[in-house]
């Protein structure tokens, strides 16, 4: 360190006197400086740690911009590129400190400067100490000044800043900082930066409402782009996305060139399900800052939610070109690839993620899941065990991955043990313990009394090896290509449904196996199921699709609800879907909002006609003004029982017993304003309800089997038409029953396609954009209406004779090993060859 030149007897240049105690303090400070980080970087680290709140990964981006009075000492909106006010004032010796302090004092570039030059220089020294990260020294210096002048506002304020910068993880620092800032406000109530500063202390402590109040006061005193952006961020963290959006919009009106604010504006759209608007905002942020990684990452996630795989891939790739080590992008891209069915590619991203962040639970879990899905059980369970060992700290909330991983590990062991057992000889629904299935399906913590773990991996059972497409015989290759084509016909063209080529192949093979099994049944052949040879029942037909759906994604428990423990069924097993929760709109079901709204309005009129006839006219007039779900909330006041919300039940008419109706699904609306609304639908699977639906499906299946046998002998058009209607009617009741914990929709549609093919008809039309087959069935007034709607897009045509030459699916893939092999197989050249069934 260079020798320090000092004015004699503690004199500063130009005749200013500084107490010797201050010079001693500066000397100690100079010694410490070489071991300290700049204040700005320390602050950024602190804020990164503290901003992981309800908003998750998005929340940390705000701290990447020097955006608050906490970072500098005068009111300005610094750019992302930085400015002198955002720079750290790191110095290497006392002379430099004094020089900086002198400059700061002359320009009065610190809060609450006085008219006294000597006082300003002393204050400036303490602020320079803060800028150099020497918080304890700054506090001692401010304290010395306050002993002589107790109401010196700048010293009180500076001491508050120093306490805050020492670290809010220590509650003592936080309380002292708040105390000092509150004193400043009582002495100088008209300074917005103090309210903003106090908000900076309050928000990491979780005192969001108080922080918002302070920022509102600061905005009232002197609006600025930064203040609106800061308040918008807190509203965003509080999940009040609509109000946050307004603040980001105000901020951008005051200063257009703010990539961070534009990104957050996009995120407020994203979290409300307004994906197209979010994409426009993310693109605008990228116009302002071309190398904005977080904007590319967010754009990729928005495209992924829209179901646009190619656009999402391109955006994630651009983020990784800017920084190949960006963990969040690797994680999100990997998850997208997994749900697209590209497991090999997904695995590469998760492994890279773990190289950079070995304790990343999401990547560790997804790595384990990807390995198991591909049949690599040893590596998969090893990764799963690492997640299990990462116990949450006392008081810390367990991650979703930690909660799920033990179920996955147990299921993985079960699958491995049955890799080479013929699928016809065992039954997953009866093999797995009841409480295990119940807890897994309900996503409950793994707290199961007297649970006996599945046996560990058996060394004699080897992992699944990669099977080359060319190693399959030509007719099996044709079978795979046809399955890929059929599976793609089931893809929903609706936001939220990413195309999954693995699911497509699995359900395409399921369709062909259903076709072959139904044809055998109609020809009086028996099937082998669960170790028994017998005539096929309707559940066996669906079980074919269930087994393929299960193995395509082992992460999801695809289980029959009536096979759950009796205690669980007696309470009812709910399939629950939030359509609107708070400000978040579920875009998957947007097409059905108006249809459900009309139904609700009709039911409200019926209810008031029976229970409140005098008020019916008023209710009718009010309902005429209702154009969206939230408009229904004020109508609740017309009846004391519905003031806080109401439920409406749909009814499903019976074909077996004319005039009889079954419970369909329940629509619930609660809330007192738009921000608190809950609009949801759910089906409650009780034992009694299940038996009623089963009786209906049994009767239809019996009729279907009888007519199918006639159809084989006589190909008259009327018989084909009757069989088609029976198939669609049977599945109509299946959809309304919702008998599976997951996957009911695609499983039922593959059964529709397969059974129709058995009758000599194949589906050539795709599901219309925005339509969901299960919701078409659930919102149709009856089975005939559903059949008519479904046939309008299916564009049924006579089946190609070439289907008869395809090998038997059940004989070609008789075990889990062979099923996993075919799902792993690359068949990209199927696109190049002509599929015979066009």
């Amino acid at each position: 360190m260079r020798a320090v030149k000092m004015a004699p007897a503690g004199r500063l240049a130009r005749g200013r006197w500084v107490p010797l105690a201050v010079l001693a303090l500066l000397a100690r400070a100079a010694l410490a400086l070489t071991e300290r980080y700049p204040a700005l970087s320390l602050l950024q680290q602190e804020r990164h740690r503290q901003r992981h709140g309800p908003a998750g990964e998005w929340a940390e981006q705000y701290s990447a911009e020097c955006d608050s009075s906490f970072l500098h000492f005068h009111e300005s909106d610094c750019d992302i590129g930085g400015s002198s006010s955002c720079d750290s004032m790191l110095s290497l010796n006392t002379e430099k400190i004094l020089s900086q302090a002198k400059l700061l004092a002359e320009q009065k570039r610190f809060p609450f400067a006085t008219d006294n030059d000597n006082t300003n220089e002393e204050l400036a020294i303490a602020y320079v100490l803060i800028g150099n990260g020497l918080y304890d020294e700054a506090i001692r210096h401010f304290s010395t000044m306050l002993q002589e002048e107790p109401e010196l506002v700048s010293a009180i304020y500076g001491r508050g800043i120093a306490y805050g910068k020492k670290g809010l993880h220590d509650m003592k620092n936080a309380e002292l900082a708040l105390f000092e800032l509150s004193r400043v406000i009582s002495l100088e109530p008209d300074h917005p930066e103090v309210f903003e500063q106090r908000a900076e202390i309050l928000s990491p402590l979780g005192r969001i409402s108080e922080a918002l109040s302070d920022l509102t006061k600061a905005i009232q005193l002197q609006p600025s782009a930064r203040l609106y952006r800061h308040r918008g961020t807190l509203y965003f963290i509080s999940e009040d996305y609509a109000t946050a959006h307004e603040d980001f919009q105000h901020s951008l009106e005051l200063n257009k060139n703010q990539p961070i604010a534009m990104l957050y504006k996009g995120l407020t759209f994203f979290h409300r399900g307004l994906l197209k608007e979010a994409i426009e905002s993310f693109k605008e942020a990228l116009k302002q800052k071309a190398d904005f990684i977080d904007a590319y990452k967010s754009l990729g996630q928005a495209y992924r939610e829209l179901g646009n795989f190619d656009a999402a891939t391109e955006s994630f790739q651009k983020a990784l070109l800017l920084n190949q080590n960006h963990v969040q992008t690797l994680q999100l891209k990997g998850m997208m690839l997994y749900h697209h069915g590209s497991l090999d590619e997904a695995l590469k991203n998760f492994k890279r993620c773990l190289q950079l962040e070995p304790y990343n639970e999401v990547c560790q879990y997804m790595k384990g899941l990807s390995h198991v899905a591909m049949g690599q059980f040893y590596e998969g369970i090893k990764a799963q065990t690492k997640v299990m060992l990462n116990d949450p700290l006392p008081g810390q909330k367990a991650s979703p991955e930690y909660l799920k991983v033990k179920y996955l590990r147990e299921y993985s062991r079960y699958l491995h043990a049955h890799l080479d057992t013929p699928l016809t000889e065992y039954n997953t629904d009866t093999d797995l313990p009841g409480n295990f299935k119940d807890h897994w399906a309900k996503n409950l913590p793994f707290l199961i009394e007297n649970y006996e773990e599945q046996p560990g991996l058996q060394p004699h059972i080897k992992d699944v090896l990669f099977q080359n497409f060319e190693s399959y015989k030509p007719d099996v290759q044709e079978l795979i290509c046809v399955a890929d084509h059929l599976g793609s016909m089931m893809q929903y063209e609706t936001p939220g449904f990413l195309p999954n080529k693995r699911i497509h192949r699995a359900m395409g093979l399921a369709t062909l196996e259903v076709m072959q099994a139904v044809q055998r049944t109609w020809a009086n052949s028996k099937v082998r199921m669960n170790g028994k040879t017998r005539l096929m029942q309707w559940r066996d037909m669906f079980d074919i699709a269930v087994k393929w759906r299960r193995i395509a994604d082992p992460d999801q428990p695809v289980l029959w609800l009536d096979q759950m423990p009796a205690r669980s069924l007696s309470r009812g097993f709910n399939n629950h879907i939030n359509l609107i929760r708070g400000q978040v709109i579920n875009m998957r079901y947007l097409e059905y909002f108006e249809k459900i709204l009309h139904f609700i309005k009709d039911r409200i009129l019926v209810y008031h006609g029976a229970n409140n006839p005098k008020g019916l006219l008023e209710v009718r007039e009010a309902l005429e003004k209702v154009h969206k779900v939230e408009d229904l909330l004020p109508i609740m006041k017309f009846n004391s029982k519905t003031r806080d919300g109401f439920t409406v039940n749909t009814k499903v008419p019976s074909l077996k017993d004319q005039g009889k109706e079954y419970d369909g699904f329940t629509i619930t609306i609660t809330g007192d304003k738009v921000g608190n609304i809950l609009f949801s639908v759910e089906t409650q699977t009780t034992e009694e309800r299940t038996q009623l639906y089963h009786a209906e499906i049994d009767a239809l299946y019996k009729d279907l089997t009888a007519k199918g046998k006639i159809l084989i002998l006589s190909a008259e058009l009327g018989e084909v038409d009757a069989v088609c209607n029976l198939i669609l009617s049977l599945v109509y009741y299946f959809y309304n029953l919702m008998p599976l914990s997951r996957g009911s929709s695609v499983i039922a549609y593959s059964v529709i396609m397969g059974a129709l093919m058995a009758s000599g008809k194949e589906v050539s039309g795709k599901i219309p954009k925005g339509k969901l087959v299960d919701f078409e069935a659930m919102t149709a007034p009856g089975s005939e209406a559903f059949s008519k709607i479904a046939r309008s897009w299916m564009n049924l045509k006579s089946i190609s004779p070439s289907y008869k030459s395809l090998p038997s699916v059940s004989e070609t893939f008789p075990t889990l090993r062979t099923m996993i092999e075919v799902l792993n197989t690359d068949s990209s050249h199927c696109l190049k060859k002509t599929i015979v069934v066009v």
Side-chain angles (χ1 to χ4, degrees):
M1 184 179 289
R2 290 187 302 142
V4 178
K5 296 180 181 178
M6 289 189 183
R11 184 185 298 272
L12 267 174
R14 294 206 308 188
R16 306 255 188 242
W17 287 86
V18 178
L20 288 171
V22 174
L23 291 177
L25 175 69
L26 290 173
R28 288 200 305 274
L31 288 171
L33 276 171
T34 55
E35 300 172 5
R36 300 295 180 98
Y37 288 99
L40 178 59
S41 72
L42 278 174
L43 177 62
Q44 299 287 46
Q45 291 168 30
E46 179 67 22
R47 295 174 75 203
H48 268 284
R49 283 195 298 270
Q50 292 163 350
R51 287 195 177 273
H52 287 279
E57 65 194 57
W58 310 116
E60 70 180 53
Q61 298 171 39
Y62 180 69
S63 62
E65 188 175 359
C66 46
D67 58 304
S68 160
S69 60
F70 206 61
L71 303 184
H72 47 88
F73 307 132
H74 69 104
E75 184 75 13
S76 73
D77 281 296
C78 55
D79 298 325
I80 282 183
S83 68
S84 60
S85 63
C86 295
D87 293 338
S88 169
M89 294 183 290
L90 181 63
S91 62
L92 298 175
N93 54 50
T94 305
E95 181 181 338
K96 192 81 175 282
I97 290 175
L98 294 174
S99 171
Q100 289 176 348
K102 180 180 169 186
L103 184 63
L104 208 63
E106 286 175 353
Q107 297 179 359
K108 294 189 176 181
R109 281 182 55 217
F110 59 88
F112 302 104
T114 70
D115 294 329
N116 185 297
D117 291 346
N118 286 333
T119 302
N120 284 345
E121 286 192 0
E122 284 199 39
L123 287 167
I125 287 169
Y127 278 111
V128 169
L129 291 171
I130 290 175
N132 284 294
L134 300 165
Y135 308 128
D136 287 324
E137 289 84 348
I139 288 167
R140 282 195 288 270
H141 188 54
F142 283 129
S143 298
T144 302
M145 296 185 74
L146 286 166
Q147 285 175 359
E148 297 178 10
E149 196 174 341
E151 292 193 350
L152 184 57
V153 175
S154 186
I156 300 170
Y157 183 71
R159 192 161 65 177
I161 289 176
Y163 278 127
K165 287 196 172 190
K166 275 185 73 175
L168 301 182
H169 53 276
D170 185 338
M171 189 54 68
K172 184 179 176 183
N173 289 336
E175 292 299 336
L176 286 169
L178 290 173
F179 176 76
E180 300 288 29
L181 293 171
S182 298
R183 281 181 67 199
V184 175
I185 288 170
S186 66
L187 293 167
E188 296 282 352
D190 296 328
H191 288 263
E193 67 270 23
V194 189
F195 287 98
E196 184 183 9
Q197 180 63 64
R198 192 166 67 175
E200 283 281 348
I201 305 293
L202 289 165
S203 54
L205 300 177
R207 294 162 67 175
I208 302 296
S209 61
E210 294 171 78
L212 285 168
S213 178
D214 273 358
L215 288 169
T216 300
K217 180 65 178 175
I219 287 169
Q220 289 168 352
L221 289 167
Q222 188 178 342
S224 72
R226 186 185 69 246
L227 284 171
Y228 276 119
R229 187 174 67 239
H230 189 171
R231 191 175 68 173
T233 306
L234 292 190
Y235 278 125
F236 181 88
I237 290 170
S238 305
E239 299 184 27
D240 186 350
Y241 303 119
T243 310
H245 175 267
E246 290 175 12
D247 272 357
F248 291 126
Q249 189 60 39
H250 285 313
S251 182
L252 288 161
E253 285 167 5
L254 292 170
N255 180 2
K256 291 181 181 178
N257 187 30
Q258 294 186 85
I260 288 279
M262 187 59 73
L263 172 70
Y264 262 78
K265 178 183 169 183
L267 291 172
T268 64
F269 284 129
F270 180 89
H271 282 274
R272 285 181 288 164
L274 305 173
L275 299 174
K276 291 179 181 176
E277 292 86 345
I279 286 168
E280 289 308 309
S281 294
F282 297 147
K283 286 181 176 178
E284 189 59 39
L286 286 163
K287 285 180 187 175
Q288 295 182 13
K289 182 172 165 54
D291 61 347
F292 199 177
I293 292 177
D294 286 318
Y296 275 123
K297 178 195 74 178
S298 302
L299 186 60
Q301 191 66 351
Y303 277 127
R304 182 240 188 266
E305 288 299 315
L306 264 183
N308 190 334
F309 176 76
D310 291 336
T313 302
E314 183 182 351
S315 297
F316 286 140
Q317 204 53 43
K318 285 179 178 177
L320 291 170
L321 283 172
L322 291 167
N323 179 3
Q324 62 180 354
N325 297 334
H326 198 253
V327 171
Q328 285 179 4
T329 302
L330 288 165
Q331 179 180 309
L332 289 171
K333 185 184 175 191
M335 291 180 75
M336 180 190 70
L337 287 164
Y338 177 87
H339 291 292
H340 180 252
S342 305
L343 272 54
D344 258 337
E345 289 301 308
L347 201 49
K348 291 174 188 174
N349 284 269
F350 298 135
K351 286 179 177 178
R352 179 64 183 148
C353 166
L354 289 166
Q355 285 175 350
L356 299 165
E357 223 173 69
Y359 298 103
N360 186 307
E361 279 190 62
V362 175
C363 290
Q364 192 70 258
Y365 179 88
M366 293 303 298
K367 177 188 173 188
L369 174 61
S370 301
H371 276 304
V372 163
M374 291 192 291
Q376 299 163 3
F377 289 91
Y378 288 89
E379 282 298 319
I381 288 175
K382 190 193 303 181
Q384 293 162 21
T385 305
K386 286 182 181 178
V387 178
M388 287 175 60
L389 295 174
N390 198 14
D391 294 314
L393 298 170
Q396 185 182 16
K397 190 177 178 182
S399 69
E401 289 71 33
Y402 182 83
L403 291 174
K404 291 194 300 179
V405 71
K406 193 155 189 181
Y407 296 107
L408 179 61
R409 190 176 74 158
E410 290 301 288
Y411 186 47
S412 300
R413 287 171 165 176
Y414 173 82
L415 292 176
H416 183 263
H418 291 83
L419 265 179
D420 299 306
T421 308
L423 289 153
T424 54
E425 302 303 311
Y426 65 95
N427 185 331
T428 302
D429 282 280
T430 54
D431 289 349
L432 293 174
N435 283 340
F436 173 89
K437 293 188 299 176
D438 184 53
H439 280 61
W440 188 21
K442 292 176 180 173
N443 201 26
L444 298 172
F446 197 102
L447 300 170
I448 305 170
E449 290 183 18
N450 304 318
Y451 178 76
E452 188 175 331
E453 288 191 348
Q454 294 285 328
L457 298 187
Q458 316 289 314
H460 69 279
I461 302 175
K462 303 303 180 187
D463 273 351
V464 176
L465 298 175
F466 178 75
Q467 187 85 352
N468 216 314
F469 182 77
E470 286 73 19
S471 67
Y472 287 111
K473 292 178 181 178
D475 59 344
V476 177
Q477 291 182 22
E478 192 63 42
L479 181 73
I480 296 168
C481 291
V482 170
D484 286 354
H485 167 71
L486 291 172
S488 69
M489 303 288 285
M490 304 178 205
Q491 179 63 40
Y492 284 154
E493 297 292 327
T494 301
F497 291 95
L498 186 75
N500 187 325
K501 59 187 184 182
R502 193 177 180 88
I503 297 285
H504 288 173
R505 178 172 300 170
M507 303 323 292
L509 288 165
T511 297
L512 292 168
E513 189 173 347
V514 167
M515 175 193 76
Q516 293 167 348
V518 171
Q519 284 175 336
R520 287 197 302 272
T521 300
W522 291 349
N524 285 320
S525 295
K526 294 181 179 181
V527 294
R528 178 105 181 145
M529 286 282 183
N530 308 326
K532 296 178 181 177
T533 303
R534 52 176 172 74
L535 290 172
M536 187 169 77
Q537 300 302 310
W538 69 264
R539 191 192 287 259
D540 301 323
M541 182 169 63
F542 283 93
D543 259 330
I544 291 168
V546 165
K547 74 175 181 183
W548 282 104
R549 178 63 183 80
R550 272 180 184 152
I551 205 63
D553 184 3
D555 190 41
Q556 297 184 350
V558 182
L559 302 163
W560 289 97
L561 298 182
D562 67 339
Q563 300 293 308
M564 293 291 178
R567 187 178 62 179
S568 176
L569 266 182
S570 64
R571 288 198 300 262
F573 196 104
N574 293 350
N575 269 308
H576 186 93
I577 300 169
N578 284 329
L579 303 179
I580 301 176
R581 178 180 171 272
Q583 297 170 5
V584 180
I585 299 169
N586 193 332
M587 297 298 288
R588 289 184 171 195
Y589 305 96
L590 198 57
E591 179 86 10
Y592 296 92
F593 280 22
E594 189 174 347
K595 196 173 184 179
I596 294 172
L597 183 60
H598 283 303
F599 174 79
I600 295 169
K601 288 161 76 171
D602 288 342
R603 299 309 300 171
I604 289 173
L605 286 173
V606 171
Y607 174 83
H608 280 279
N611 298 284
N612 181 26
K614 289 182 181 179
L616 185 59
L617 181 61
E618 189 182 0
V619 172
R620 191 186 298 278
E621 288 174 353
L623 284 171
E624 286 174 2
K625 299 173 185 175
V626 170
H627 301 293
K628 52 186 187 292
V629 174
E630 43 267 48
D631 295 341
L632 287 169
L633 294 174
I635 295 173
M636 295 177 187
K637 69 184 179 185
F638 289 115
N639 188 288
S640 59
K641 291 182 179 178
T642 64
R643 189 163 291 159
D644 298 320
F646 57 81
T647 60
V648 181
N649 297 306
T650 64
K651 294 295 179 182
V652 176
S654 169
L655 279 176
K656 183 170 68 74
D657 301 312
Q658 290 297 317
K660 190 175 180 180
E661 291 182 324
Y662 308 131
D663 288 333
F665 63 91
T666 302
I667 305 162
T668 302
I669 301 177
T670 60
D672 52 11
K673 59 180 183 178
V674 175
N676 291 335
I677 192 172
L678 176 64
F679 174 37
S680 63
V681 298
E682 69 178 20
T683 54
Q684 189 173 41
T685 305
T686 60
E687 190 170 6
E688 181 185 2
R689 182 176 180 271
T690 300
Q691 287 174 355
L692 290 170
Y693 274 89
H694 279 192
E696 192 79 30
I697 296 171
D698 283 338
L700 284 164
Y701 183 75
K702 186 177 179 182
D703 200 7
L704 174 64
T705 304
K707 282 192 165 53
K709 288 178 178 179
I710 296 170
L711 182 64
I712 283 184
L713 300 172
S714 168
E716 289 184 22
L717 189 62
E719 294 292 345
V720 175
D721 209 46
V723 167
C724 289
N725 285 334
L726 281 169
I727 291 165
L728 290 167
S729 295
L730 187 152
V731 175
Y732 164 78
Y733 289 102
F734 181 92
Y735 275 128
N736 278 283
L737 174 59
M738 280 288 166
L740 295 164
S741 58
R742 294 281 197 288
S744 292
S745 185
V746 72
I747 284 166
Y749 202 64
S750 64
V751 168
I752 289 175
M753 290 179 66
L756 285 172
M757 287 163 71
S759 75
K761 292 289 181 181
E762 85 174 277
V763 174
S764 64
K766 285 204 167 191
I767 301 163
K769 193 171 184 179
K771 298 289 185 184
L772 309 176
V773 186
D774 52 350
F775 255 63
E776 287 297 322
M778 291 163 67
T779 57
S783 60
E784 289 181 13
F786 171 66
S787 297
K788 187 176 180 181
I789 292 165
R791 291 181 73 157
S792 71
W793 79 64
M794 284 182 172
N795 193 20
L796 294 177
K797 65 178 186 180
S798 295
I799 193 170
S800 167
S802 59
Y803 279 110
K804 291 181 181 178
S805 63
L806 293 175
S808 163
V809 176
S810 59
E811 291 174 11
T812 307
F813 310 111
T815 63
L816 277 177
R817 182 184 298 279
T818 53
M819 288 173 72
I820 294 171
E821 283 173 351
V822 73
L823 294 182
N824 288 348
T825 301
D826 174 44
S827 59
S828 53
H829 66 285
C830 280
L831 300 172
K832 300 170 189 173
K833 62 191 286 187
T834 304
I835 297 173
V836 294
V837 284
V838 179

